[in-house]
Amino acid sequence: MILRYLFRRILLLGATVLVSSLIIFLICRLLPGDVARVLLGREAGEAALAALRAELGLDRPLLVQYLDWLRGFVLGDWGIAYSTRQPIRPLVLERLGNSLLLAGATLLLALPLGIGLGVWAGWRAGKPDDALINVSLLSVTGLPEFVTGLLLIDLFAFRLRWLPANSSIRPDATLGEIAPQLALPAITATLVLLAYIARLTRTGVINELSQEYVRTAMLKGLTPLTILRRHVLRNALLPTITVIAISLGWLISGLIVVENVYNYPGIGRLLTFAIDRRDLILLQAIALITVVIFAVANLLADLMYALLDPRIRLGDE
Amino acid sequence: ACGSATPSPEPTAAPAPTQSGPTGRLRVASEIPVQLDPAFASSDAEILILNHVYDYLVDIDAGNNVIPRLAREWTMSDDGLRYRLTLADGVYFHDGSPLTAADVVWTFNRLRDRSLQLPTADLYANIADITADGENAVVFTLTTPNPFFLYDLSDNHALVLRAGVTNPATAFNGTGPFKVVEYRTENRIDLAAHQAYFQAGKPAIANLEIIFFADQAAAVDALRGGQVDLVLRMPTPLFQTLQQTAGIVTVQTPTNGFDLVRLRADRTPGNQPDVIRALKLATDRQAIFRQVKAGLGAVGRDSPIGPLFSAYYSEETPIPPRDPAAARALLAAAGYPNGLKLDLHVPDSGDRPDLAVVLKEQWAEAGIDINVIVEPESVYYGDNGWLEVDLGITGWGSRPVPQFYLDVMLVSGAVWNESHFSDAEFDALAATARTTLDEAERVRAYREIQRILIERGPIIIPYFFAQLSAHREGLRGYVAKAFPGRTDLAVIAV
Amino acid sequence: MNVQRLGRAFFADPATAAGTIIVAGFLTLALFGPLVAPYSPTAQNVDLIRQPPSPSHLFGTDRLGRDLFSRIVYGARDMLALAGGGTALAVIFGTLIGVSVAYLGGWLEELVFRLFDGLLAMPALLLALLLLGAVGPSRVSVLLVIVVVYTPIVARVARSVVLTLKPRGFIEAARMRDERLSYVLWRELLPLVAPTLAVEAALRFSYAIFLVASLGFLGVGVQPPNPDWGLMVLEARNEFALAPWSLYVPAAAIALLVIGVNLMAEGVRRAIGES
Amino acid sequence: MATAILEIENLSVEYHAGRRKLPVLREICLSVAAGETLGIVGESGSGKSTLGLAVLRALPANGRISAGRVLLDGVDLAQTQGATLRRLWSRSLRLIPQNPLAALNPTLKIGAQLVEAIGGRRDAAEAQAAALLARVQIADPERVMRSYPHELSGGMQQRVLIAMALHGAPRLLVLDEPTTSLDVTTEAAVIDLLADLIAERQPASLFISHNLGLVARIATRTAVLYAGEVVEIAPTTTLFQQPRHPYTQGLLRSLPHPGLRYDHHPLQPIEGAIPAPGTLPAGCVFAPRCPLADDRCRRERPPLLAIAPHHATRCHYWHRVMLDGALPAFVVPTTVPSDAPLLTTHRLSKTIAQRQSLTDIARGKPAPAVQALSEVNLTIHRNRILGIVGESGSGKTTLARCIIGLTPPSGGAIELLDIPLAPLIHQRPREHVRRLQMVLQNPQEALNPALTIGEALRRPLIRLGGLDSKTAANRVPDLLRLVKLPPEYAHRRPNQLSGGEKQRVAIARALAATPDLLVLDEAVSALDVSVQAAVLNVLADIKERTGIAYLFITHDLAVVSYLADDVVVMYRGQIVEQGPVAAVLRPPLHPYTEALLAATNPRGVRLREADATGTAPAQGCPFQPRCPRAIGEICRATPPPWREAGVGHRIRCHIPLADLQVAQTHNEPISSEH
Ligand SMILES: Nc1ncnc2c1ncn2[C@@H]1O[C@H](COP(=O)(O)OP(=O)(O)OP(=O)(O)O)[C@@H](O)[C@H]1O
Ligand SMILES: Nc1ncnc2c1ncn2[C@@H]1O[C@H](COP(=O)(O)OP(=O)(O)OP(=O)(O)O)[C@@H](O)[C@H]1O
Ligand SMILES: [Mg+2]
Ligand SMILES: [Mg+2]
């Protein structure tokens, strides 16, 4: 039964990813510019270019190219990057690992902080400290990550000299060496997420506090803190699960800006590289794997939600 | 660079090699390399890596002189058709095999093999034959004399490979001062000293890390933050910033590189001389130089023969002072009484977008309405768009001799004649300069060429770049090169 | 709905009023830009390169000697036109599609929302980058990208509201009188979807500002010499140490506008919640 | 009277709405003794819940006791706070709220929630929790303790809350409409249980309800609340027999008393509506709606006058208040319809698949499919009212929706005047659509808040009446008058109307199409008694005038016996008894019908509570597991046959009719020898 349900969800997820893959493929084919030219440089002759295009399979009908690519992707053969002539899968997976690392570090910062602030603000809704938190969060909201990033580098790397300005992780670096490199990008991304998580949590807490079961708990003679901890939090934080999933998706490629500011070797930076070099096949792989991760994260969030909230019923959408 | 030459002495700037073998780690910021097959590599980033993994037969020093590298010495036959190069002793590939003349023959045959369609095929079309003369000498036979042949041998692509290598883009089996330890696409490449390197005292460092940056601002941040030791190239404002930063040494080197603003001359509106003159009259090169380059480098005079080619450079023909009103009148005369509307295509690299913006503003006064289209280089050069568009800005890197620019950029039908300039008088002068062995005649030809380009060349060269680089204090032996990819990192000590 | 009450509820809150003033301020700047700005946004002065703020150049000048205040003023036009216009179009399309398709249901709904799911499975910035790469950078492209990226989101929101309304008694009542489809969609459903969409629109608007600025910063949005705020930040990055104001000024403009829009969104939400 | 545990002295409460202060309770004085239950009745919005919460010091954040004292065992609760108050909450003060599901934390298991209330050591608390659950007649405490709230039926949830309120030694019990969300049969059981427990534990109890019948069953004394004031207080029997306030009298007159019939005795609702907080009139708060009011009433606020021992009223003219004398018990002749059937259903069936939670899926439970309707045959005649009664979930709504065409049946057929109807409404010709109309249960949802009343009434005239827009607009006032609403209401929007008024608009809208059959699904259930009376009158009136037929769905048997001509009794998607109302209800035959009727009788038979998750037995009588009169194997093994019990009266039961009749009249068990 559960298997059947999972199977159906995965099928649905597959359908979404399939639609996405088609969209990605079509957009990529619309990109102007010429891989062969990028690859051979401006000095290459026409014949060489044509030969290369044929070698890369760029002269076949679109549908054939699409199906070929898709089949390869599913079977784990993601192809050879047009530009660097290196196999795509290890490259993308390595970058993905780095991005996940950064995303993890970000969530590690953003979740406790955002939830903490949100709970505090929700608990004290309408009071001065709530207003203070709201105003601070709002000011943070206003700053795009490319601005905070630059300001943080200036402060922490140049003025205080506490943290490195850059994060080109060495392959053999230990976690202890990586940690300081992760700090600034993670803080920058945190600032983007923080307000979002905190506001959601605050709304959740306020919403739950107005529920009748809170009165029941109060009439049991429980202290406010116990009520918050045992009753309100669990329910108020349920929606946050979804946020984590969405943030994870956002972080994977939404880190484009942050990774570029800090020269962090993640998937976001690889993406800009692929766009810049018109490395369509690399670009497609990055976009599609992002979609897959996004979709899987959402599925996991849904399942988590259903597990944690016994009320959720599953069935045909 | 003519006649039979004796090798110039080693550059004196090179540091005394450390006695105890290479030590220390050098971290260099670079743009992202794409293509690491020497036959295709062209960007700074790509050459920078390959230049340390492989070796050229001959190299060019900071003063544009040909110096020995794998070739210990060379002779040219009197008719200028045969070059014999003797290889250095004790040269080994990273896999331990010794370098032989066969490797050199194989390398250059590959580069000139028409069927492989490599970009160097044209460059070496003049070679009739390459033969090994024993284990360590190679003989090149030309079909016509070429006074610049040694420069050609030092072409960026002409790195010597092991004969018969099948995967030159990934094998990294060179004779160069560093071995590749690990290459991470779009991220970094880690190299280690090649202990058996044939040049004494090189490399001075044990480890070389080249870290790739998509964004030069980030690279400069890394330098300021201490994450890299050397940045070889950067836009002007960042250089100015570093000039004021403690602990950083800035180095600027004048070069022959320039940004070329060009209008297609083979169709309207560029086929009307008045339009070209109007554009030139509407341009204030001094102002551009100050705004875009902050006075670093040199003001241009619409010809690729820049002030560094001191023997050839001439200020004989004056550049008419900026006069927007006159330009407007010329346009009216050319049939554009209400001004001219043009798209200006610009690649998004370097200071070029700023140049476009400044031009737009200056030309607006003359009634020329520019629509700036900034494109990634991949789009600008892709599909040969840069050769097609009417109005564009193209960056041209520094070359040791001016003839190159004329031959590929301006003579009728040249491969990258993006302005589609075709002028019989110019072509004749260029041909003279190309082949003559008489230096005075060449000087005369170049002088005339500069006059023609100023008067009617469909190009504007507002400035020549300075090569802007910087490193942290404590780095010894760094010598800036006009083409930063050819910097010799093996002589640097930390 | 009582408009006056709504208005009162809206302005009673000082934060909302502040937000409204900020947004109205930028709107005024945008509308009357030529009257307010002392210089042309692209006019250069070789002799006034990187001047710090002064009475004659309130926000200083940039590396080409352009007046930053004027650039901010003109940039407000682009920003509001692109982010605002894009959001407005996305809200219109999203509403039209979301309301009608969700109400009709069936395979059409399945089809449309599968397509939207496919679009939404890509993070917004990724989709925007791909699209902009395909159509090339320009104002129109940015507008188009915002519409493509946000229409599915708005449609999804509209749909979720319609799905809660569908089983409601008055919709069944409409079915019981064989009501015209257009009447149900636009007279019965739309007014009830509108409040949620108003909140969503305000939220989208603030995200759109970010998106436009981010695209500018990545160099794929509005092109030079246009005074796009994100582009100004990008250009200022190289000379942050030489002329910090050239970064502070556009950054502050973005932040202020986003904060203003957020405050207003909060106000809209509250006002609608209260009435 | 014993000494009072709870004494409320001059209690006033106000709510803050923005900067406005809304007084909702004024000068309330009440006292309750140990073991005593004080009933609190009043229309919606009169402040009953506010009173209950104020007494418990559990007002919402924007509520405040503005004056007065609440003494519990001599301690003023109004002045306690912090740890003292928490100790009182945990030891003495208890609340049983209206909506048990909302009052339980959805994500915590029942056991944990009980243990938390009991406190102390965990295993001891768990044992006590199980004992408490057993005490509130929960058959399987262990299983319930492992369940989540939503997995229990409403009755079980309420029992859990009762158990929670009972641990320790409660001194004050506030019951805020504890059975409103329950079925009649469950309600009866819960009320019995509560009465028992109050007698056992002897707390002072406040029983809040708008259901006068219920209050009569449990409360010794009753206070009538109106617009935040106690307008009358008296021993319950006195209050019901000799009300001395016009408002109390009005409430009683609004009730459909047993024996009254719609065609002979229109109900007498109270005109007007309760004033909103903050808009109280100057004099007597009830004056605007009072038939006895004069200038003095409008000027001068009457004090709470003690007019007899334990009887006080807030009326200047209490002596003029008189309840009509004893009403003649009107015997309804059993009439059988003569004309051809308007609408018939043939073996109408409907199966609904239900969704499951992930935990259930993981536990491997099969997905339940509910047989919401099973082979339902019924016939509706012109000019007659067919009542449908049954517990919650018995399929009443499903039946109505299948007839209207809002849900497709999974089997069977429906014929309108012998023409088969398409299963779904949009497949039916417009004429069919016009002839069948429905009024939905919830008046809040029936009208689109974005459209004016006039617009809502105009549309059916245009769509189904074939009128042009202008003519339709002219007919709107007639429609409003038809349901006794002023024509000006055409310009109002739904949120400016009370619940009863909205329901009348919904009825007018359905009638605008001049249907042949109007289906009313619990159309009056959500309304206050006086409003319900007004709506019932309107319905009776229209039927008399137009000869329309009604399909009247309700779980309130009093309403059915007042309004219906024929009645159908449903149990789990099946009809178990049907026939003319007089024959079916007086006296009932089927044990299920009997139990439904007995629910209002303190000593009547009680059904075992249905297990919300249990499915009907595969064979035999579906009612058998809960039947108080089951006669053994045959009930379990064989589906019961239809038996004719009189003209047009049929029942589906194994028990011989004679035995049933005897048992009913003597209220005694049937031996299982048969
Ligand atoms: N938190 C609140 N804030 C403001 N007004 C409130 C609040 N709670 C209740 N009211 C108002 O106070 C009045 C009394 O409400 P209360 O809930 O006590 O009535 P009730 O008699 O229990 O009604 P019902 O039978 O509908 O439960 C109503 O007019 C209600 O609108
Ligand atoms: N949409 C639905 N999904 C799942 N089950 C449903 C649905 N509608 C009805 N049911 C189930 O069908 C059965 C009959 O429901 P129905 O609403 O017809 O009963 P009812 O007699 O109207 O009850 P009530 O008195 O509570 O309104 C119930 O068991 C109910 O749970
Ligand atoms: Mg209440
Ligand atoms: Mg129902």
Side-chain angles (χ1 to χ4, degrees), chain B residues 257-262 283-290 292-293 296-304 319 351-352 354-356 358-359 362-363 392-394 459-465:
Chain B
F258 53 89
D259 282 339
L260 177 77
V261 182
R262 96 291 178 292
T283 309
D284 182 344
R285 293 164 189 76
Q286 273 295 340
I288 294 176
F289 183 53
R290 276 172 63 199
V292 180
K293 288 288 163 190
L296 301 172
V299 183
R301 288 170 48 80
D302 292 3
S303 123
I319 301 262
D351 294 317
R352 280 161 213 126
D354 272 356
L355 169 58
V358 174
L359 278 180
Q362 291 187 357
W363 289 1
I393 297 181
T394 308
I459 59 172
I460 296 172
I461 293 177
Y463 49 70
F464 291 91
F465 315 131

Side-chain angles (χ1 to χ4, degrees), chain B residues 90-418:
Chain B
V91 181
Y92 293 95
F93 284 99
H94 295 161
D95 68 0
S97 52
L99 173 82
T100 65
D103 297 315
V104 179
V105 173
W106 185 87
T107 298
F108 282 90
N109 276 334
R110 172 176 181 247
L111 290 176
R112 73 195 186 104
D113 183 346
R114 285 256 164 228
S115 69
L116 293 177
Q117 302 192 312
L118 301 183
T120 39
D122 282 338
L123 181 68
Y124 296 129
N126 189 25
I127 299 178
D129 185 33
I130 311 172
T131 50
D133 182 1
E135 276 289 277
N136 62 350
V138 197
V139 176
F140 290 85
T141 311
L142 308 186
T143 41
T144 55
N146 177 1
F148 305 110
F149 182 65
L150 284 174
Y151 287 97
D152 288 352
L153 282 186
S154 178
D155 180 85
N156 280 342
H157 303 109
L159 293 148
V160 177
L161 308 181
R162 178 106 167 78
V165 63
T166 49
N167 52 343
T170 50
F172 296 130
N173 184 23
T175 56
F178 291 97
K179 295 179 182 179
V180 174
V181 175
E182 181 167 23
Y183 170 48
R184 302 215 156 196
T185 310
E186 198 255 345
N187 184 4
R188 59 192 294 134
I189 186 164
D190 289 343
L191 304 112
H194 176 29
Q195 301 291 352
Y197 192 55
F198 74 100
Q199 290 191 23
K202 276 186 178 185
I205 38 163
N207 294 79
L208 172 63
E209 291 174 14
I210 300 178
I211 303 169
F212 309 146
F213 288 82
D215 183 345
Q216 276 155 337
V220 167
D221 281 351
L223 179 64
R224 293 178 70 191
Q227 281 80 53
V228 301
D229 304 312
L230 172 63
V231 179
L232 291 171
R233 224 168 86 158
M234 68 193 70
T236 316
L238 288 174
F239 186 77
Q240 290 174 286
T241 302
L242 290 178
Q243 283 180 317
Q244 308 169 354
T245 308
I248 304 286
V249 180
T250 54
V251 181
Q252 54 164 311
T253 318
T255 78
N256 297 315
F258 53 89
D259 282 339
L260 177 77
V261 182
R262 96 291 178 292
L263 184 66
R264 264 186 82 156
D266 60 336
R267 62 185 186 205
T268 51
N271 58 4
Q272 287 160 285
D274 277 351
V275 170
I276 289 170
R277 283 172 56 208
L279 291 190
K280 289 179 180 239
L281 271 177
T283 309
D284 182 344
R285 293 164 189 76
Q286 273 295 340
I288 294 176
F289 183 53
R290 276 172 63 199
Q291 280 174 289
V292 180
K293 288 288 163 190
L296 301 172
V299 183
R301 288 170 48 80
D302 292 3
S303 123
I305 303 170
L308 289 189
F309 297 120
S310 43
Y312 309 133
Y313 177 71
S314 140
E315 295 190 359
E316 204 176 62
T317 315
I319 301 262
R322 179 169 186 255
D323 187 347
R328 202 182 274 273
L330 280 173
L331 282 181
Y336 301 100
N338 301 321
L340 193 57
K341 260 182 104 78
L342 283 169
D343 283 343
L344 173 58
H345 295 259
V346 201
D348 64 357
S349 52
D351 294 317
R352 280 161 213 126
D354 272 356
L355 169 58
V357 168
V358 174
L359 278 180
K360 177 184 167 77
E361 205 59 22
Q362 291 187 357
W363 289 1
E365 266 182 79
I368 305 160
D369 180 8
I370 295 297
N371 176 35
V372 178
I373 301 173
V374 182
E375 294 164 336
E377 289 200 323
S378 55
V379 175
Y380 183 76
Y381 295 116
D383 289 331
N384 278 337
W386 68 298
L387 298 178
E388 294 301 319
V389 296
D390 271 309
L391 188 60
I393 297 181
T394 308
W396 285 84
S398 187
R399 304 286 166 157
V401 290
Q403 185 65 37
F404 165 81
Y405 298 116
L406 309 182
D407 286 350
V408 301
M409 186 174 105
L410 289 166
V411 298
S412 301
V415 263
W416 304 314
N417 188 339
E418 44 178 322

